[in-house]
């Protein structure tokens, strides 16, 4: 059955310690959380890590994954692996990359090779590595969409976390994105957006133009384990948490029916 999670960047403006943030999510319908890069600073502290683990257990939450920059992954590999094992995180996600790399074929293929090398290193520690798209990957490179060349060159060496809202904002069809990575996307970011409005790069689901239900159906049909809520541009984080909890409970039921 497809499970639901919230990317905790949605709650970045909530001025509370990480364990308290996780506890808040535990009071919702979400099945899990997805951490983001800055959380590894907090989780490096033994007490915070222990309290976060307790909050996850008390809230009956799983760790869907964690976003981590490629630079942090390269420079702090052993520490990241240790933290992941302690908090029950078996999936790391590269959330973005240098946009200029996706401006040339050589840059696209170099990015894929770099990420593939890290994925191979993580595999020996039973951790999967995924790539999460932003918007810049959907420009044209040698008459081909850069992201499509990226997926082709990855050639199964790492997986993907498609963000349907960001792709839509860039003018790329959300369902086409899901088909592009079908079978290689255990986590899907079901986000909404309003193209042409930067402040609506992300929006609460139902407030933009993405057909979220169709994307949820396609994600489930393609074998996704998790559908993830995120609104990185929210002006009311707790309202977005409540709205997402309600909306994703319905999407989970729909995807599992």
């Amino acid at each position: 059955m497809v499970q639901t999670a919230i990317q905790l960047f949605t709650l970045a403006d909530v001025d509370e310690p990480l364990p308290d943030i996780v506890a808040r999510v535990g009071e919702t319908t979400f099945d899990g959380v997805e951490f983001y890069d800055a959380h590894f600073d907090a989780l490096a502290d033994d007490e915070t890590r222990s309290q976060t683990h307790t909050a996850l257990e008390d809230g009956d939450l799983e760790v869907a994954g964690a976003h981590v920059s490629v630079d942090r992954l390269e420079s702090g590999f052993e520490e990241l692996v240790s933290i992941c094992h302690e908090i029950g995180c078996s999936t790391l996600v590269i959330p973005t990359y240098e946009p200029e790399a996706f401006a040339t074929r050589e840059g696209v293929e170099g990015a894929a090779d770099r990420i593939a090398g890290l994925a191979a290193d993580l595999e020996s520690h039973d951790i999967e590595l995924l790539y999460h798209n932003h918007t810049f990957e959907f420009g044209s490179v040698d008459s081909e969409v850069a992201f499509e060349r990226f997926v082709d060159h990855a050639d199964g060496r790492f997986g993907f976390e498609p963000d349907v809202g960001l792709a839509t904002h860039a003018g790329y069809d959300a369902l086409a994105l899901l088909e592009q990575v079908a079978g290689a996307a255990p986590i899907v970011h079901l986000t909404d957006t309003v193209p042409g409005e930067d402040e609506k790069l992300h929006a609460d689901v139902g407030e933009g133009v993405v057909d979220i239900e169709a994307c949820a159906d396609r994600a489930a049909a393609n074998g996704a384990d998790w559908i993830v809520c995120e609104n990185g541009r929210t002006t009311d984080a707790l309202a977005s948490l409540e709205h997402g909890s309600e909306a994703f409970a319905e999407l989970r039921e729909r995807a599992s029916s």
Side-chain angles (χ1 to χ4, degrees):
M1 185 178 81
V2 174
Q3 294 181 284
T4 66
I6 186 166
Q7 164 53 247
L8 293 179
F9 190 72
T10 305
L11 304 177
D13 289 338
V14 178
D15 188 19
E16 294 178 355
L18 179 57
D20 292 350
I21 295 291
V22 172
R24 279 188 179 274
V25 179
E27 296 172 354
T28 72
T29 70
F30 285 113
D31 301 306
V33 297
E34 186 176 56
F35 296 111
Y36 62 93
D37 190 83
H39 286 146
F40 285 103
D41 293 327
L43 291 167
D45 176 74
D46 291 344
E47 184 175 359
T48 298
R49 191 166 61 254
S50 175
Q51 291 175 349
T52 300
H53 187 271
T54 298
L56 289 165
E57 289 187 333
D58 291 348
D60 195 24
L61 296 170
E62 296 181 33
V63 179
H67 282 195
V68 60
S69 71
V70 67
D71 290 336
R72 184 191 287 265
L73 185 51
E74 288 177 332
S75 64
F77 186 88
E78 296 300 332
E79 181 182 31
L80 285 169
V81 167
S82 177
I83 290 172
C84 284
H85 287 165
E86 288 193 44
I87 63 172
C89 176
S90 61
T91 304
L92 289 174
V93 185
I94 304 297
T96 189
Y97 204 81
E98 294 91 347
E100 57 270 19
F102 282 78
T104 66
R105 184 185 182 95
E106 293 77 12
V108 167
E109 294 179 354
D113 289 339
R114 182 184 183 189
I115 294 169
L118 290 166
D121 292 340
L122 287 168
E123 185 178 11
S124 65
H125 295 277
D126 297 319
I127 296 174
E128 185 174 13
L129 186 63
L130 311 179
Y131 180 82
H132 167 276
N133 65 273
H134 204 267
T135 56
F136 56 81
E137 299 96 338
F138 298 98
S140 179
V141 173
D142 293 344
S143 301
E144 184 178 15
V145 176
F147 185 78
E148 295 175 2
R149 169 95 298 269
F150 182 65
V151 174
D152 287 346
H153 194 72
D155 194 27
R157 293 178 293 167
F158 56 88
F160 295 89
E161 182 183 68
D163 188 310
V164 298
L166 293 180
T168 299
H169 200 88
Y172 195 84
D173 183 75
L175 294 177
L177 174 70
L178 295 176
E179 283 307 299
Q180 183 70 29
V181 297
I187 308 175
V188 173
H189 269 209
L190 286 184
T191 60
D192 216 339
T193 191
V194 179
E197 297 185 30
D198 186 61
E199 68 277 8
K200 292 289 188 179
L201 181 68
H202 271 164
D204 287 340
V205 293
E207 296 184 359
V209 303
V210 178
D211 188 337
I212 295 293
E213 291 185 348
C215 287
D217 292 346
R218 186 68 57 85
N222 287 348
D225 299 316
W226 291 91
I227 52 175
V228 176
C229 172
E230 182 182 11
N231 183 352
R233 295 297 174 91
T234 183
T235 58
D236 190 337
L238 296 181
S240 289
L241 173 64
E242 181 178 359
H243 175 83
S245 172
E246 295 173 358
F248 273 70
E250 294 177 1
L251 290 170
R252 178 180 55 211
E253 182 176 356
R254 175 187 178 89
S256 301
S257 62

